[in-house]
């Protein structure tokens, strides 16, 4: 860089240079939060140019442009606290409750935050804890834990600070601790918080296995099962927050073929950069987690490489146009003199989320190309998988973060600074206060006595797997479900609806009747939930007593309902996935790479099929029995499938009122049993046709009959084609 002359009047003597140097050094430690490539010791950056051209007005932006900005500048946008949307919604909700309280009490003057006192705060939180109805008469669950009341107080302090730009007085804050304790006692709030259940690697293995082999948990699309598997793996290995994982896009992933420094085969290295971590007062630096492939692994159930590569190949995500299958990946090598071969992803997919939601179309479920998977969809998956596995504790996505953080904390190779970096914490205090389980996982007896700790036994005592019991009731029986009609509240509402039937003309279409029906459904749902909780709590206490009594009476161990559904119930694609993931390691490198490729292909097939639809009957289950793969059996199965398809095609063309859906039959992404499913009556087919194929149609959708290979211009055109060609009646033509 050419050095400009120093400004006029500056001294070049040693004393002056020393003073300038000291001044520069004294200011070099000041961090204004703005990154700059300019070296502040370079005086040329601030030196006055010889021609002083920089003082002339800019043609694009005259002085009036900046003066107008100065007049309209809103400092509040930059001086207020920077919270995420979820935190802002929580603060806004608390502020609404504050105003609503004093409006209800007809003390409008107390809405002003300058009137806040210990007495007004006591009344407000007492009123808040007494609320039982929300918006539009929605019933509130109510506050049950004292820790929740503490959270309310913290949020209110943020509300006060946002409104007044000042913090609450420290003396008032101390007085409120006594107020909160008194309110917690008055409203019967429990002091025991929610158990921070850790999903250790042993527990994670069981949940991953359940996700692969269960038929009880059905996803609308096969890719959902793959996404659930990949999410659990990444959550367990990186300890990232759920939203950071769900915000993962293809631009955050780097795939590399890495040379093994110890001379082994080249490894596939995956590097994940998590951008959407929890932000407060600015964007945090992004962390990158490298995960390398494990060759000759005992099981592929922990391999994110298998599932991510299957997703990448399914999406055709690689920039190299001919890298479309794992076989091409196997053929690649690293040139001599280099240690890596980057496998670039297509830049057109940079903003495409890895975890995407499924959307309904006239032809079934398909994966959206742009919409991310919402957390509200993921959370029930994890809970259901934990329930099917048999855990007594409720499994949550944060259970993975708790366990991984604990593993980092206990590992001697992970420093405290590295743990804070990986967890995204400012200090270890955050982990100790909010993440570390209150269950002591150290053999204190052995430590005090000076004997060898029983580490394995202590580990077994602290895992979620300890509570596994698949006999635990998960749902109500039909008799128990019907018993909710005897609830006094439900019976009263049913009687009100019956009276409306006789007092209103065409009552079922009246708004009052519909509102009452919705209220009845909500009341029934609450009763069902309460009954299930009661049954589960009673079972947790009584079943162990019955087991003890049974064994002491000489009847042995109760084996009823110990095992999940038989493997013969697995659909063909899911069966292939399970076989590939649980295959034993190869004896040679070629066999091991073949095992990897076969598993990736199984993942790709799952990403391309639709899982939803009717549950298989027992006769249909028989065709999916797990058997040793034999060529003649595969050929026989293919021939049988072809015959079933032909018979179904003849039915939808020749029968006057067929019972097979022509759109499902033409959808090659569906399983054979779903494509050829026959409803009991033509009316059942009509209901299915309206619900699954007509309702999802939106303006501008491309409609088509794949069976007839014809395009259809509109929804009405599809309905006319259905009745004229395939005999399927919809409501318009009934």
């Amino acid at each position: 860089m050419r050095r400009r002359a120093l400004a006029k009047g500056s001294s070049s003597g040693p004393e002056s240079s020393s003073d300038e140097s000291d001044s520069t050094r004294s200011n070099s430690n000041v961090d204004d939060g703005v990154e700059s490539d300019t070296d502040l010791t370079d005086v040329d950056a601030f030196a006055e140019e010889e021609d002083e051209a920089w003082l002339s007005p800019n043609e694009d932006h005259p002085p009036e442009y900046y003066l107008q900005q100065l007049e309209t500048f809103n400092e509040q946008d930059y001086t207020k606290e920077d919270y995420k949307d979820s935190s802002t919604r929580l603060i806004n909700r608390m502020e609404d409750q504050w105003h609503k309280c004093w409006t209800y009490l007809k003390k409008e003057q107390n809405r002003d935050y300058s009137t806040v006192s210990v007495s007004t705060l006591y009344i407000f939180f007492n009123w808040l804890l007494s609320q039982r109805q929300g918006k539009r008469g929605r019933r509130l669950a109510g506050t049950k834990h004292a820790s929740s009341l503490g959270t309310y107080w913290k949020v209110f302090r943020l509300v006060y600070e946002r409104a007044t730009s000042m913090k609450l007085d420290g003396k008032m804050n101390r007085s409120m601790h006594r107020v909160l304790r008194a309110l917690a006692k008055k409203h019967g709030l429990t002091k025991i918080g929610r158990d921070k259940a850790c999903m250790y690697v042993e527990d994670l293995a069981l949940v991953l296995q359940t996700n692969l082999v269960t038929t009880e948990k059905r996803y609308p699309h096969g890719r959902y099962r793959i996404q659930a598997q990949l999410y659990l793996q990444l959550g367990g290995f990186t300890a990232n927050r759920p939203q950071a994982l769900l915000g993962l896009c293809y631009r955050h992933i780097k795939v590399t073929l890495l040379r093994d420094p110890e001379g082994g085969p080249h490894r596939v290295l995956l590097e994940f950069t998590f951008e959407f971590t929890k932000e407060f007062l600015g964007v945090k630096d992004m962390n990158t987690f490298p995960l390398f492939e494990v060759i000759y692994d005992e099981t592929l159930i922990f391999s994110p490489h298998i599932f991510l590569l299957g997703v990448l190949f399914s999406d055709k995500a690689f920039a190299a146009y001919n890298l479309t299958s794992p076989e091409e990946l196997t053929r690649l090598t690293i040139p001599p003199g280099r240690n890596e071969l980057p496998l670039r992803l297509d830049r057109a997919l940079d903003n495409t989320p890895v975890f995407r939601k499924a959307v309904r179309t006239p032809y079934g479920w398909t994966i959206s190309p742009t919409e991310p998977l919402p957390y509200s969809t993921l959370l029930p998956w994890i809970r259901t998988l934990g329930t099917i596995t048999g855990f007594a504790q409720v499994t949550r996505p944060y259970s993975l973060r708790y366990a991984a953080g604990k593993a980092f904390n206990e590992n001697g190779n992970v420093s405290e600074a590295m743990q804070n970096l990986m967890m995204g914490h400012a200090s270890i205090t955050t982990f100790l206060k909010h993440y570390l389980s209150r269950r002591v996982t150290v053999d204190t007896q052995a430590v005090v006595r000076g004997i060898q700790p029983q580490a394995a036994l202590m580990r077994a005592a602290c895992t979620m797997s300890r509570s596994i019991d698949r006999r635990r009731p998960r749902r109500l029986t039909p008799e128990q479900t019907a018993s909710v009609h005897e609830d006094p509240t439900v019976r009263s509402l049913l009687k009100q609806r019956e009276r409306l039937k006789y007092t209103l003309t065409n009552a079922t279409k009246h708004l009052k009747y519909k509102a009452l029906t919705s209220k009845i459904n909500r009341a029934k749902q609450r009763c069902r939930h309460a009954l299930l909780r009661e049954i589960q709590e009673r079972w947790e206490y009584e079943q162990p007593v019955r087991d003890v009594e049974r064994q002491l009476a000489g009847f042995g161990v109760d084996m009823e309902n110990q095992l999940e559904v038989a493997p013969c119930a697995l659909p063909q694609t899911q069966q292939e996935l399970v076989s590939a993931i649980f295959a034993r390691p190869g004896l040679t490198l070629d066999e091991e790479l073949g095992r990897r490729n076969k598993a990736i292909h199984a993942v790709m097939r799952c990403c391309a099929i639709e899982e939803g639809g009717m549950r298989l009957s027992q006769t249909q289950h028989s065709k999916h029995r797990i058997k040793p793969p034999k060529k003649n059996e595969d050929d026989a199965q293919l021939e049988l499938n072809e015959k079933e398809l032909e018979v179904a095609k003849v039915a939808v063309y020749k029968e006057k009122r067929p019972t097979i859906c022509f759109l499902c039959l033409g959808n090659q992404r569906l399983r054979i049993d779903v494509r050829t499913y026959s409803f009991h009556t033509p009316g059942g087919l009509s209901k299915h046709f309206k619900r699954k194929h007509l309702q999802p149609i939106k303006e501008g959708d491309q409609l088509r009959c794949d069976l007839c290979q014809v395009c259809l211009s509109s929804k009405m055109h599809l309905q006319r084609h259905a009745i004229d060609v395939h005999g399927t009646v919809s409501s318009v033509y009934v």
Side-chain angles (χ1 to χ4, degrees):
M1 174 179 177
R2 183 179 64 86
R3 296 184 62 85
R4 301 188 185 97
L6 293 175
K8 187 175 182 180
S10 63
S11 173
S12 59
E15 294 181 0
S16 175
S17 299
S18 177
D19 292 341
E20 288 181 5
S21 179
D22 291 340
S23 174
T24 303
R25 281 196 296 269
S26 64
N27 294 328
S28 62
N29 293 328
V30 178
D31 184 7
D32 60 358
V34 180
E35 293 184 0
S36 175
D37 293 332
T38 304
D39 185 359
L40 296 183
T41 60
D42 186 0
V43 295
D44 293 340
F46 301 99
E48 187 175 336
E49 294 189 9
E50 293 177 355
D51 55 3
E52 298 185 351
W54 62 279
L55 288 175
S56 61
N58 191 297
E59 295 181 2
D60 294 332
H61 300 298
E64 291 77 14
Y65 171 80
Y66 299 100
L67 292 175
Q68 182 182 4
Q69 288 185 348
L70 179 62
E71 294 175 0
T72 60
F73 187 80
N74 185 5
E75 290 190 11
Q76 189 176 1
D77 293 339
Y78 299 92
T79 57
K80 65 182 181 181
E81 296 288 1
D82 185 16
Y83 297 112
K84 294 199 74 171
D85 293 340
S86 56
S87 300
T88 303
R89 286 194 297 269
L90 196 62
I91 296 172
N92 293 340
R93 194 178 304 130
M94 181 60 69
E95 186 176 32
D96 292 340
Q97 293 293 331
W98 173 260
H99 295 313
K100 190 180 298 182
C101 170
W102 299 115
T103 301
Y104 172 76
L105 298 178
K106 298 179 181 179
K107 292 285 185 179
E108 297 289 342
Q109 65 274 15
N110 287 347
R111 295 175 59 174
D112 189 352
Y113 292 101
S114 62
T115 64
V116 169
S117 64
V118 175
S119 59
T120 57
L121 290 173
Y122 178 91
I123 297 300
F124 168 64
F125 284 110
N126 191 23
W127 174 86
L128 186 63
L129 293 174
S130 302
Q131 298 305 296
R132 292 295 178 265
Q133 283 192 342
K135 291 184 178 179
R136 296 185 294 275
R138 182 171 56 88
R139 185 177 181 274
L140 299 178
T143 305
K144 298 179 176 62
H145 300 284
S147 59
S148 300
L149 181 58
T151 302
Y152 297 161
W153 169 235
K154 293 176 184 177
V155 175
F156 180 82
R157 283 156 51 191
L158 297 178
V159 171
Y160 180 89
E161 186 176 346
R162 184 175 69 175
T164 64
S165 300
M166 296 186 300
K167 294 182 180 293
L168 273 169
D169 180 65
K171 183 179 180 181
M172 183 181 296
N173 191 20
R174 289 190 295 273
S175 300
M176 280 302 297
H177 289 307
R178 291 190 290 272
V179 169
L180 298 180
R181 286 198 298 269
L183 288 173
K185 185 176 181 180
K186 178 180 179 180
H187 290 271
L189 305 184
T190 178
K191 296 181 180 179
I192 302 176
R194 187 181 70 185
D195 181 31
K196 296 180 174 64
C198 294
M199 193 185 297
Y200 295 112
V201 66
E202 302 93 327
D203 310 318
L204 178 58
L206 293 174
V207 176
L208 289 171
Q209 179 179 344
T210 298
N211 181 57
L212 289 178
V213 304
T214 187
T215 56
E216 189 171 349
K217 170 59 184 172
R218 298 170 63 85
Y219 298 95
H221 198 279
R223 177 159 170 155
Y224 267 5
R225 192 177 297 273
I226 303 303
Q227 290 185 165
Q229 196 82 358
L230 182 59
Y231 177 89
L232 288 166
Q233 292 169 340
L234 294 181
F237 297 153
T238 66
N240 266 283
R241 294 179 175 87
Q243 293 294 355
L245 290 168
L246 294 178
L248 201 65
C249 296
Y250 283 131
R251 71 175 183 273
H252 304 130
I253 298 175
K254 184 178 180 182
V255 185
T256 308
L257 197 61
L258 187 68
R259 187 184 299 278
D260 187 349
E262 297 182 353
H266 301 331
R267 308 295 182 91
V268 176
L269 175 67
L270 301 179
E271 294 174 273
F272 301 90
T273 301
F274 294 95
E275 178 178 349
F276 301 97
T277 56
K278 189 175 183 181
E279 299 172 4
F280 178 71
L281 296 179
V283 179
K284 291 185 178 181
D285 292 335
M286 297 181 290
N287 296 338
T288 299
F289 288 80
L291 300 177
F292 57 86
E293 182 182 15
V294 180
I295 303 293
Y296 301 111
D297 199 353
E298 286 298 321
T299 175
L300 298 177
I301 199 170
F302 285 120
S303 174
H305 299 72
I306 297 297
F307 294 91
L308 181 62
L309 288 173
V311 169
L312 292 176
F313 284 126
S314 178
D315 288 345
K316 297 179 174 55
F318 287 102
Y321 73 92
N322 50 358
L323 182 53
T324 58
S325 71
E327 284 74 22
E328 277 83 19
L329 178 62
T330 305
R331 290 166 49 194
L332 296 176
T333 186
I334 301 175
R338 292 164 55 188
N339 294 320
E340 67 171 6
L341 178 63
L343 307 178
R344 303 296 186 195
L345 301 182
D346 189 353
R347 288 182 174 175
L349 300 176
D350 276 357
N351 296 321
T352 301
V354 177
F355 300 97
R356 303 200 295 276
K357 68 182 293 186
V359 294
R360 290 198 65 173
T361 68
Y363 308 101
W365 290 93
T366 186
I367 297 297
S368 169
T370 57
E371 295 185 71
L373 181 71
Y375 182 68
S376 58
T377 301
L378 173 76
L379 182 59
W381 293 358
I382 309 300
R383 287 180 175 173
T384 302
L385 291 174
T387 303
I388 297 173
T389 305
F391 295 149
Q393 300 95 330
V394 178
T395 55
R396 303 176 178 86
Y398 259 90
S399 299
L400 300 167
R401 182 167 166 83
Y402 294 147
K406 189 173 184 301
F408 297 155
N409 185 259
E410 294 176 350
N411 192 291
N413 296 323
V414 180
S415 64
E416 182 178 308
M418 181 56 68
Q419 178 186 337
N420 292 334
L421 176 67
M422 291 188 292
M423 299 288 292
H425 292 159
S427 68
I428 198 64
T429 306
T430 306
F431 174 78
L432 297 177
K433 186 175 181 181
H434 299 290
Y435 285 83
L436 193 59
S437 175
R438 300 300 99 181
R439 175 182 289 272
V440 177
T441 57
V442 177
D443 188 355
T444 56
Q445 177 183 212
V447 173
V448 173
R449 293 178 57 188
I451 61 178
Q452 185 67 27
Q454 302 183 68
L457 193 59
M458 178 56 67
R459 177 81 170 188
C462 299
T463 60
M464 298 173 66
S465 308
R466 167 188 172 182
S467 65
I468 285 182
D469 193 338
R470 292 191 174 92
R471 300 173 301 169
R472 185 174 287 108
R474 300 197 294 269
R475 60 182 67 87
L476 298 175
T477 64
E479 294 78 13
Q480 292 167 343
T481 302
S483 68
V484 303
H485 291 85
E486 302 303 320
D487 181 79
T489 304
V490 175
R491 291 178 64 181
S492 175
L493 292 173
L494 288 173
K495 288 180 181 179
Q496 293 180 36
R497 190 171 66 175
E498 285 298 321
R499 286 195 294 268
L500 278 180
K501 281 186 178 180
Y502 295 103
T503 57
L504 296 175
T505 304
N506 202 5
T508 56
K509 295 185 178 180
H510 200 278
L511 291 178
K512 187 180 293 186
Y513 184 92
K514 292 180 179 179
L516 188 56
T517 300
S518 299
K519 191 174 182 179
I520 291 172
N521 292 335
R522 292 195 299 269
K524 288 181 179 179
Q525 187 71 4
R526 286 195 298 271
C527 290
R528 285 193 291 265
H529 285 166
L531 179 59
L532 181 58
R533 282 197 304 269
E534 179 186 346
I535 291 173
Q536 289 173 337
E537 291 173 0
R538 190 167 63 246
W539 186 93
E540 291 289 348
Y541 179 81
E542 295 178 354
Q543 186 60 44
V545 176
R546 288 194 292 267
D547 289 343
V548 172
E549 292 174 346
R550 179 184 178 89
Q551 291 190 45
L552 294 179
F555 291 103
V557 179
D558 180 16
M559 296 299 297
E560 184 181 1
N561 296 327
Q562 289 287 343
L563 300 176
E564 209 215 348
V565 86
C568 62
L570 289 178
Q572 184 69 28
T573 308
Q574 189 177 349
Q575 175 186 325
E576 293 172 358
L577 177 65
V578 171
S579 300
I581 296 300
F582 289 100
R584 298 184 64 82
L587 298 178
T588 64
L589 179 59
D590 289 340
E591 290 182 5
E592 177 64 13
L593 294 179
R595 179 178 75 139
R596 181 190 72 181
N597 295 346
K598 182 179 179 181
I600 293 175
H601 276 296
V603 171
M604 294 170 63
R605 284 191 291 272
C606 273
C607 288
I609 67 163
E610 187 179 336
E611 266 195 31
M614 295 69 64
R615 287 190 178 274
L616 302 178
S617 65
Q618 292 300 320
T619 55
Q620 290 169 322
H621 281 165
S622 61
K623 74 172 69 173
H624 300 299
R625 256 179 233 287
I626 295 180
K627 301 176 182 178
K630 295 182 180 179
K631 190 174 186 306
N632 56 349
E633 290 184 0
D634 293 342
D635 293 341
Q637 184 64 58
L638 289 173
E639 186 177 349
L640 180 61
N641 291 343
E642 290 296 331
K643 288 182 179 179
E644 287 187 17
L645 288 173
E646 288 301 322
V647 171
K649 290 177 182 178
V650 170
V652 298
Y653 280 114
K654 299 297 183 183
E655 294 182 10
K656 183 177 180 180
R657 292 292 303 277
T659 57
I660 298 175
C661 178
F662 69 96
L663 288 179
C664 291
L665 183 60
N667 188 351
Q668 298 183 3
R669 295 185 294 110
L670 296 176
R671 304 190 309 268
I672 294 296
D673 57 281
V674 178
R675 295 175 65 185
T676 59
Y677 184 85
S678 178
F679 292 87
H680 291 292
T681 63
L685 172 60
S686 296
K687 293 178 182 177
H688 160 83
F689 181 68
K690 289 184 288 184
R691 183 180 66 254
K692 183 173 181 180
H693 300 296
L694 294 183
Q695 285 184 2
I697 294 178
K698 303 180 183 65
E699 190 69 28
D701 281 351
Q702 299 290 331
L703 304 178
R704 175 181 177 83
C705 175
D706 290 325
L707 206 59
C708 301
Q709 296 293 310
V710 295
C711 294
L712 305 169
S713 58
S714 64
K715 179 178 179 179
M716 188 171 291
H717 191 183
L718 172 61
Q719 292 174 290
R720 173 56 68 183
H721 177 82
I723 189 173
D724 290 345
V725 180
H726 302 292
T728 301
V729 179
S730 58
S731 58
V732 174
Y733 299 102
V734 172

